[in-house]
Amino acid sequence: MTTTTNSDSDVREVVRQKYGEAAKRVTQGAGASCCSSGPVSSCCGAAPATIGGSDPITANLYDTVQADAVPDTALLASLGCGNPTALAELKPGETVLDLGSGGGIDVLLSARRVGPTGVAYGLDMTDEMLALAQENKRKSGLTNVHFLKGEIEHIPLPANSVDVIISNCVINLSADKDRVLAEAFRVLKPNGRFAVSDVVVRGEVPPAMRRNMELWIGCVAGALSDREYLDKLARAGFTGAGIEVTRVYGVDDAREFLAAQSADLQQLAAQVDGKFVSGFIRATKPAGAPAGSGAASVAASTAGAPAAAAASCCEPSACCGR
């Protein structure tokens, strides 16, 4: 079982601070134009001020066609470890929810996949990211996109309201993953699909990496083992869970990732060779399943609110830093 000395509130506040800083760097133009043309470069999606000079986990996730389909600032703000929209098999007319949507890249790509008869929601707790996402929505011209402010442990949507849940290396950032999965189960419709990208651990991880708060921001210290992830999904009520490995991180990746850390942590690079992978995790909410015991929904689930068009607190308003 994965253990850590970091409290839920400690992790949440560090994540909020660091992702807010990342959004400000994009908004203020730090590193702007590195992704404006040609193939997606290694600087795209990296978070140099968060962990180190380069981040092999977040680099080279979107192809040129996808990069051209979203504003540059959405691509620059991408801090994920995979490309869930490429693997989730989204269909026209579906309702999609992205947990931890950041600058909105996966929400915008999903909105194009589900088309004008579908809806794409993005949920994020960071005001700066939500403000950036709203601006990216405006630039995209898409009208079937809604950004919500909230925590992934308390999803502000009604039960049985979403066809597909996606997420891009965000569930690892939660210190209460059981609550996140229970909430995902609650808001999914029967036969709804859980289809997320995340970092997964194979084997034991040095305790020093588990304790390091900076590494939580890179989805590493909080990563579940493949067995833990599947067990937690089963306990939440999901069936048919599986993990498809999409990238394996070797010792050179580990050294690059740990470059800005202490000498003691840098020495761990050889010990984690091949133990961290990016995976695409799939599972299904069974037909006829109860909504589950996730947290009660908030304003979006008021009586009479349509399931596929719940009110967004983050249309231009004070709650999104506007």
Side-chain angles (χ1 to χ4, degrees):
M1 180 67 66
T2 299
T3 58
T4 173
T5 59
N6 302 316
S7 71
D8 294 11
S9 58
D10 288 341
V11 173
R12 184 176 295 114
E13 288 312 308
V14 173
V15 170
R16 194 192 309 270
Q17 176 187 350
K18 293 299 184 179
Y19 277 75
E21 291 171 358
K24 289 178 182 177
R25 287 197 301 274
V26 172
T27 301
Q28 294 166 1
S33 81
C34 79
C35 307
S36 58
S37 64
V40 179
S41 69
S42 62
C43 72
C44 300
T50 301
I51 296 170
S54 181
D55 185 351
I57 290 179
T58 64
N60 302 314
L61 301 178
Y62 299 92
D63 61 30
T64 304
V65 173
Q66 291 172 315
D68 289 344
V70 297
D72 289 348
T73 46
L75 188 61
L76 284 167
S78 172
L79 300 170
C81 62
N83 187 346
T85 59
L87 298 172
E89 300 177 355
L90 302 179
K91 303 177 181 66
E94 290 188 316
T95 297
V96 183
L97 169 64
D98 182 13
L99 299 181
S101 49
I105 183 170
D106 292 315
V107 181
L108 300 179
L109 290 172
S110 295
R112 295 189 185 282
R113 292 283 183 96
V114 300
T117 60
V119 178
Y121 289 107
L123 175 66
D124 205 279
M125 67 177 181
T126 307
D127 287 335
E128 295 87 349
M129 278 294 187
L130 285 164
L132 178 59
Q134 289 288 353
E135 178 61 16
N136 288 330
K137 171 187 172 181
R138 184 192 67 77
K139 291 177 180 177
S140 75
L142 292 166
T143 59
N144 61 335
V145 170
H146 304 280
F147 289 104
L148 311 171
K149 183 176 181 179
E151 298 168 357
I152 62 175
E153 298 87 357
H154 309 276
I155 300 174
L157 285 174
N160 303 321
S161 62
V162 174
D163 294 296
V164 186
I165 283 181
I166 64 171
S167 185
N168 200 343
C169 207
V170 171
I171 294 175
N172 272 315
L173 300 179
S174 174
D176 191 353
K177 298 174 180 63
D178 290 315
R179 181 64 173 263
V180 175
L181 298 180
E183 277 289 88
F185 189 86
R186 180 184 67 80
V187 301
L188 278 172
K189 300 174 183 177
N191 290 319
R193 310 190 303 282
F194 180 86
V196 310
S197 293
D198 232 332
V199 171
V200 178
V201 178
R202 300 188 298 188
E204 292 297 318
V205 174
M209 294 193 73
R210 291 292 189 195
R211 290 192 298 268
N212 190 285
M213 290 294 286
E214 287 293 311
L215 297 183
W216 274 87
I217 312 309
C219 314
V220 172
L224 295 171
S225 73
D226 45 8
R227 186 68 264 164
E228 283 178 305
Y229 219 129
L230 295 175
D231 288 346
K232 286 180 181 295
L233 285 166
R235 285 198 296 272
F238 288 99
T239 58
I243 299 175
E244 175 187 346
V245 174
T246 54
R247 185 183 292 186
V248 178
Y249 304 109
V251 64
D252 290 339
D253 294 320
R255 286 178 179 143
E256 186 177 358
F257 184 83
L258 295 169
Q261 298 298 319
S262 68
D264 288 344
L265 276 175
Q266 290 181 43
Q267 290 176 2
L268 298 176
Q271 297 181 43
V272 299
D273 183 25
K275 290 186 177 179
F276 289 102
V277 303
S278 288
F280 185 64
I281 297 99
R282 293 181 175 90
T284 302
K285 179 175 178 176
S293 56
S297 52
V298 292
S301 61
T302 53
S312 168
C313 79
C314 292
E315 294 303 325
S317 68
C319 83
C320 292
R322 289 295 178 110

